[in-house]
Amino acid sequence: MTSTDTAKLKRMFDAIAAAIDADKDRLCRLDGVIGDADHGIAMALGFGAVRDALASLDLATTEPTTLLNTAAKSFLNAVGASSGPLYATAFIRGAAAVKGRAILEEADVIVMLRAMAQGIQDRGKAELGEKTMVDAWLPAAQAAVVAQEAGKSLSESLEAALAAAERGAEATKDMIATKGRSSRLGERSLRHMDPGAASAVTVIGAMRKSLV
Ligand code: ADP
Ligand code: MG
């Protein structure tokens, strides 16, 4: 069994920030095709701000909930694009889901992931198939829950989440955007991957690497 404390959650956010930084140009290119070309910049600004804010926390006396709420606040303050409130809500919901726990057991991490995905969906009101990050986040969380309930380890469950996110992001190429900026394109959004779904794969991939 792998357990997750505040220090490991901080390492998770550091890993996400590094992965998003490395992916920034691709995400901007994807957003350039069906949006306004800023998605990589927005995500890098957001996770960079999270990394900086978490660096000044005293990890020994900070609970996971507080760390996640700090992440939410700094992400929201740093990002003006629509991904700002979406990820901020994800972290606030993740924080609420693990409230009172000093150490997260494997099942708690899956509960946190599930709450994050639900937060994104609640905040943006996007359904599956509307070509948004929800098309990666929701199947990822569902796959993680199914794997966890089938007795899989955290590592295996996050592997399943990542595979589902990748399939979901790929599937956005066949979707017509009906939410967010790219919905203005209508059918012209076809054949292009949604940038928010693409970055969700990067985020979930970094979580998988850093949480096991
Ligand atoms: P903006 O569109 O304001 O420039 P970003 O470029 O940072 O914001 O993010 C764009 C991504 O946000 C889209 O690719 C999509 O995945 C996601 N998105 C936009 N609107 C919604 C929504 N209502 N629900 C979920 N995700 C959304
Ligand atoms: Mg954009």
Side-chain angles (χ1 to χ4, degrees):
M1 285 287 262
T2 321
S3 57
T4 301
D5 59 5
T6 305
K8 195 188 258 187
L9 278 180
K10 178 186 177 292
R11 291 201 295 277
M12 176 191 88
F13 278 108
D14 289 345
I16 298 173
I20 286 291
D21 249 340
D23 203 19
K24 188 165 119 181
D25 294 347
R26 180 186 71 113
L27 298 174
C28 282
R29 271 200 304 278
L30 286 172
D31 197 28
V33 183
I34 63 168
D36 58 354
D38 69 345
H39 187 60
I41 294 167
M43 292 291 281
L45 267 175
F47 282 106
V50 171
R51 180 187 50 213
D52 294 348
L54 301 189
S56 57
L57 288 180
D58 176 7
L59 300 176
T61 58
T62 304
E63 291 212 323
T65 296
T66 310
L67 178 139
L68 286 159
N69 279 324
T70 304
K73 207 196 301 176
S74 37
F75 199 99
L76 187 64
N77 287 342
V79 179
S82 20
S83 40
L86 293 166
Y87 272 97
T89 306
F91 303 144
I92 287 169
R93 294 294 186 82
V98 300
K99 195 167 164 55
R101 302 211 187 266
I103 305 278
L104 310 186
E105 298 307 334
E106 298 200 343
D108 299 324
V109 173
I110 305 298
V111 165
M112 177 185 82
L113 188 79
R114 179 79 189 87
M116 288 171 65
Q118 191 60 51
I120 289 172
Q121 188 175 31
D122 290 349
R123 185 69 178 82
K125 307 261 182 304
E127 297 298 333
L128 282 175
E130 293 194 292
K131 200 181 182 92
T132 70
M133 62 175 75
V134 166
D135 291 302
W137 268 105
L138 218 56
Q142 276 158 1
V145 169
V146 167
Q148 156 80 27
E149 283 173 354
K152 305 282 190 196
S153 67
L154 180 62
S155 169
E156 292 166 324
S157 302
L158 292 177
E159 187 63 51
L162 179 59
E166 282 168 347
R167 282 194 300 275
E170 197 58 37
T172 63
K173 289 180 181 170
D174 298 324
M175 297 172 190
I176 296 170
T178 51
K179 281 278 184 323
R181 201 178 290 280
S182 54
S183 61
R184 296 173 200 163
L185 288 181
E187 291 208 353
R188 280 181 293 138
S189 66
L190 270 174
R191 287 180 302 282
H192 306 293
M193 185 182 288
D194 175 65
S199 63
V201 173
T202 305
V203 170
I204 293 165
M207 290 176 76
R208 180 190 71 86
K209 268 198 201 152
S210 55
L211 285 178
V212 294

